[in-house]
Amino acid sequence: MTTASEAKTALTNARVFDGRRLSAPCTVVIDDGVIGTDARGAREVDAAGAVVLPGLIDSHVHLHDSRTLEQLASYGVTTGLDMAMRPAELVATLRKVSGYADFRTAGLPAIGPDGGHSRFPGMPPEAIIRTPQDARSHVAARVAEGVDYIKGIAEAPGDGGPSGASLRALVTAARAHGLKTVIHAASVGAFALAVGSGADFITHVPADGVIAETDVAKMAAAGQIAIPTITMMEGVLAGKAPIAHVLKSVANLHHAHVKVLAGTDANTQPGPPFAVPHGESLHHELARLVQAGISPAEALRAATILPARAFGLTDRGAIEPGLRADLLLIDGDPLADITATRKIRNIWCGGHSVAPARHPVNFHDGIAGTG
C-alpha cells in the first residue's frame, strides 16, 4: 500500500550506488517527489548502512491494469516499459494512476498476418501489417494515440511475420515522427531480420540457437541495443532444453559492446508461452545477466541508468539532485552478491513510500537449467 508523499525525508547513513560503486555513508534527501540537497526540516530515517539504489526499470513488461503497476512497485521496479497495450483507453486510464510504478508504452504492436502473435486472444486486425504502406499507417495511428515508441514483431522467414521491407518501413516511419522502435525477435532467423530493420532495440534472444556472429557485429556497428529477456526465454525452454545458448548469446552481445538492458517480458494474460510475474522477475533477470558474464555493477546499470538514457527518460535512473525520487533501500552489497537486490527494506516511487511485497523475492532460479 502506498502512502502520500512526505514533504521531505532524509535517509541518513546510506550507501548510494552511483552507477559504478557504493559511496561512503551519506544522506539522501527526498523532497516533494524529487531528490533534494537540503536536509533541514526533514524527517530523518536512519538507513544504518543499507544501500540505496535508483528505482529499477524493467525494459520489457506487459501491463494489464493498475494492479500490475502496484506489483512492479512492490518489488522496487519503479518504471515499466510496456511492449504491447490495448486498447488506447486502457493506456489513458493507467496514465492517471499515481503512487505506483510509472510506465511508457508502445501501444498496439505491428504483427504479420500469419505469425504466432496473430493468434493471441483479442489481437485486433488493425495490428496486422502486410506491406510497407501498412507499416507507415500503423505508425501514424499509434502516434495519434500518443504512444512513447513503436513495437514490431519479426518472425523467421516463412513464419508469417512482416517482411523485411515492412519492418524497415516501420522503423523509418517511427523515426520520422521522432520515435524509437523495438523489434521482437525470438529465433535466429527473426533476429537477422530485426537487425536488418535498423531498429533501435531488439527484444529477446533466440530460443533456437545462438545469435549469428555477423548479426552481433552489425548490432555493435549500428549502436543497436539488446533487451534479452532471459527470464522469458528460460520459461519458453523449460523442460525442452537448457539455456546455455541463451546465456551465450547475451555474453556475445556484451563482449561486442552491445548495450544490454534488463527486461523480463512480465505478463499475466493468455497468449505468451510463459507467465512471468511482474516485479520479482526482474531480480531473477539481474541474476541471470550476472550468470551470463555481466558484472553486478553492469547488471544494475542495465536496470537503471542505461534504460533511462536509451529511452529518453532524463528524469530518472540515477540518484542525483533534481531527479525523480525513485529509490530502493536494500540490505547487503549487490556489487558482491546481486541477489542482495531482493532484500528490500523500502521503496519510493516519485517520493511516495511503497511497502515492499509481503513475501520475499523467490522467483524460481533454474526453470530450465543452465547446462
Side-chain angles (χ1 to χ4, degrees):
M1 181 177 180
T2 184
T3 63
S5 175
E6 294 94 356
K8 187 182 289 189
T9 300
L11 302 177
T12 61
N13 299 314
R15 295 181 297 159
V16 173
F17 176 64
D18 67 2
R20 301 290 182 186
R21 58 190 65 85
L22 299 182
S23 72
C26 63
T27 297
V28 177
V29 178
I30 301 170
D31 191 353
D32 197 24
V34 300
I35 298 169
T37 58
D38 184 359
R40 288 177 297 181
R43 179 179 69 91
E44 289 193 6
V45 176
D46 186 359
V51 170
V52 181
L53 303 176
L56 302 177
I57 300 172
D58 190 330
S59 291
H60 189 141
V61 301
H62 294 275
L63 301 172
H64 313 307
D65 49 32
S66 62
R67 171 58 187 153
T68 49
L69 293 174
E70 180 181 357
Q71 188 168 347
L72 287 174
S74 72
Y75 286 96
V77 181
T78 57
T79 302
L81 300 177
D82 178 82
M83 292 300 162
M85 193 190 307
R86 59 187 189 276
E89 291 76 14
L90 174 60
V91 176
T93 296
L94 292 188
R95 290 204 195 274
K96 298 175 184 177
V97 175
S98 63
Y100 295 128
D102 191 22
F103 75 94
R104 299 293 185 272
T105 186
L108 186 69
I111 67 174
D114 300 309
H117 286 72
S118 67
R119 295 185 287 275
F120 275 22
M123 184 66 74
E126 65 178 302
I128 294 174
I129 61 171
R130 292 181 170 84
T131 67
Q133 181 54 49
D134 288 345
R136 290 186 282 270
S137 297
H138 180 92
V139 170
R142 303 290 77 75
V143 168
E145 292 172 352
V147 301
D148 302 294
Y149 37 85
I150 299 296
K151 167 83 176 292
I153 307 294
E155 307 278 5
D159 283 352
S163 67
S166 294
L167 290 174
R168 289 191 294 274
L170 191 80
V171 172
T172 300
R175 288 202 177 125
H177 287 281
L179 296 179
K180 295 187 177 183
T181 310
V182 182
I183 301 294
H184 159 115
S187 67
V188 172
F191 211 91
L193 274 179
V195 172
S197 75
D200 301 283
F201 305 91
I202 301 176
T203 189
H204 306 305
V205 289
D208 60 349
V210 178
I211 301 168
E213 291 182 7
T214 53
D215 288 329
V216 173
K218 288 176 183 177
M219 286 188 72
Q224 291 173 307
I225 297 173
I227 310 172
T229 68
I230 302 171
T231 301
M232 169 55 82
M233 307 321 293
E234 190 176 6
V236 168
L237 292 169
K240 302 174 184 176
I243 64 167
H245 65 283
V246 171
L247 298 176
K248 178 64 173 174
S249 286
V250 176
N252 290 350
L253 290 165
H254 179 61
H255 292 155
H257 304 292
V258 174
K259 288 182 181 176
V260 174
L261 307 185
T264 64
D265 204 0
N267 68 88
T268 59
Q269 291 190 327
F274 179 65
V276 176
H278 291 81
E280 63 176 315
S281 57
L282 187 60
H283 299 271
H284 178 84
E285 187 75 16
L286 292 175
R288 285 293 186 245
L289 289 174
V290 171
Q291 186 178 352
I294 296 176
S295 73
E298 291 168 321
L300 289 175
R301 287 172 59 80
T304 54
I305 190 62
L306 293 185
R309 289 174 176 170
F311 281 88
L313 306 177
T314 58
D315 62 345
R316 68 198 71 189
I319 302 175
E320 298 174 359
L323 298 187
R324 280 174 56 98
D326 288 345
L327 302 169
L328 178 61
L329 183 65
I330 63 170
D331 287 318
D333 181 353
L335 302 187
D337 178 3
I338 193 62
T339 65
T341 64
R342 308 174 186 213
K343 301 172 184 177
I344 302 170
R345 281 201 200 178
N346 208 347
I347 300 146
W348 290 266
C349 291
H352 292 261
S353 179
V354 177
R358 293 179 182 175
H359 58 282
V361 177
N362 59 7
F363 185 56
H364 182 43
D365 288 311
I367 300 169
T370 59

